[in-house]
Amino acid sequence: MKKITILLFCITVLFQANGQVIDGLHDKLFDQYLLGKYADCHDKAQKMIASDKYKYDPEPYLYVSMCLAKLLEEPEQADERDNILKDALKFAEKSKKYHVKALKKEITTFPMDENLDYFDELIMIGIDEAKYHFFEDKFSKSASWFKKVGKVAPEDDNIQFAMASNMLLSRNMEGQKIMNDLLPRMKENYSNGDEVPSEVSRDALEIGFLAYSKYLVDQGESAKAKEIITFGHELMPDNRKVTMKFEQLTQ
């Protein structure tokens, strides 16, 4: 119940702040979404995607994602919430992918910069889902959710860090290959001041530090665990959970 309450709160905030696709090209989808006809908008967008004319058009994919996300607000969808969120993330990923292709081919489409708020808020909802499973010690599920979210934001190292850490905790050693490439880059970018933690994926970064330091302690590598959590504490000095872990490991 607590999980559902938190998720509903996040979704409410999301859709108070964001509406239809901004500066899109498909007026019918715009009108249906604006009028709250989400089922009709979803079905029309799906029909467009199924056609040869629009199957590579990123805008219908974005409308499908947004309409699915709207379903998350409905209490009667509680049993299907995970599947709906998975699909919302999947169609958001496809929208981004086809948007990149459209720009490369100089095909006119909606401006991504004007619509990033929706993607960012959806990413945050997905991170909340992954975070919930981490604190339930369901590390494989947490890694799976971070992987889904990471496909919407493949450039975000914080999400990849959390995913790899949870993979290691679930004994999936593919996580170590990812970590070997990822961690040196993160240390370089954060240590030289080129980057500051993104507000969108800050919670993923928190989970990454907690999960990876836990994994290292479990493996008997206390010195490396202290090094990692010290890095996290320096980067996120106001994060209560990271600070508590830092104090636990360095006292």
Side-chain angles (χ1 to χ4, degrees):
M1 181 60 69
K2 183 178 179 182
K3 170 188 169 185
I4 293 173
T5 301
I6 293 171
L7 185 56
L8 283 173
F9 172 78
C10 294
I11 294 160
T12 300
V13 172
L14 164 61
F15 289 105
Q16 284 175 345
N18 297 283
Q20 64 286 340
V21 175
I22 299 171
D23 291 336
L25 304 178
H26 299 296
D27 291 342
K28 185 66 173 178
L29 294 177
F30 178 95
D31 291 342
Q32 288 175 329
Y33 191 91
L34 186 64
L35 293 171
K37 298 180 179 180
Y38 306 119
D40 291 341
C41 182
H42 172 274
D43 291 347
K44 180 170 179 59
Q46 285 279 28
K47 287 179 181 178
M48 292 174 70
I49 289 168
S51 71
D52 290 338
K53 183 177 181 180
Y54 295 112
K55 66 181 178 180
Y56 300 119
D57 184 338
E59 190 173 340
Y61 289 91
L62 180 52
Y63 270 110
V64 170
S65 178
M66 294 172 70
C67 291
L68 287 169
K70 270 293 184 181
L71 286 178
L72 294 170
E73 296 180 64
E74 301 179 5
E76 61 269 25
Q77 298 293 337
D79 291 341
E80 290 298 319
R81 188 161 279 111
D82 282 2
N83 290 331
I84 293 170
L85 181 55
K86 287 176 186 177
D87 284 343
L89 289 165
K90 180 178 71 175
F91 279 93
E93 173 203 350
K94 289 184 176 181
S95 179
K96 273 196 168 183
K97 179 178 72 174
Y98 289 131
H99 192 276
V100 170
K101 291 184 177 181
L103 293 183
K104 286 182 179 179
K105 294 181 179 180
E106 299 183 347
I107 297 172
T108 302
T109 185
F110 66 88
M112 181 59 72
D113 288 349
E114 296 295 322
N115 289 277
L116 285 178
D117 281 352
Y118 170 75
F119 288 97
D120 288 347
E121 294 290 352
L122 184 64
I123 287 166
M124 291 172 72
I125 292 172
I127 289 173
D128 280 341
E129 182 73 22
K131 185 176 179 179
Y132 167 81
H133 289 294
F134 170 76
F135 286 116
E136 291 290 306
D137 293 337
K138 297 177 180 177
F139 306 123
S140 180
K141 280 192 174 182
S142 183
S144 178
W145 276 105
F146 277 121
K147 183 175 182 179
K148 292 176 177 66
V149 177
K151 289 180 179 180
V152 182
E155 73 289 344
D156 194 314
D157 284 347
N158 296 340
I159 297 171
Q160 299 301 314
F161 181 43
M163 178 189 74
S165 299
N166 276 280
M167 289 172 72
L168 288 169
L169 282 174
S170 58
R171 301 298 182 261
N172 182 346
M173 298 314 295
E174 184 67 24
Q176 191 61 60
K177 295 180 182 179
I178 297 170
M179 193 67 75
N180 290 343
D181 175 64
L182 180 65
L183 197 55
R185 182 170 70 244
M186 289 180 64
K187 287 181 176 179
E188 180 180 358
N189 290 342
Y190 281 128
S191 296
N192 64 20
D194 287 350
E195 291 186 18
V196 295
S198 164
E199 289 302 318
V200 174
S201 60
R202 194 176 184 86
D203 282 358
L205 186 60
E206 171 199 283
I207 296 302
F209 284 122
L210 296 177
Y212 194 39
S213 59
K214 173 178 170 51
Y215 170 75
L216 291 170
V217 169
D218 290 348
Q219 296 301 304
E221 300 186 63
S222 297
K224 287 185 178 180
K226 290 178 183 179
E227 178 185 340
I228 288 297
I229 203 64
T230 299
F231 174 37
H233 181 58
E234 291 172 350
L235 192 58
M236 310 175 75
D238 297 329
N239 187 286
R240 183 176 60 86
K241 289 186 174 67
V242 171
T243 297
M244 288 174 62
K245 191 70 171 179
F246 169 77
E247 293 173 349
Q248 175 190 341
L249 293 181
T250 57
Q251 284 181 349

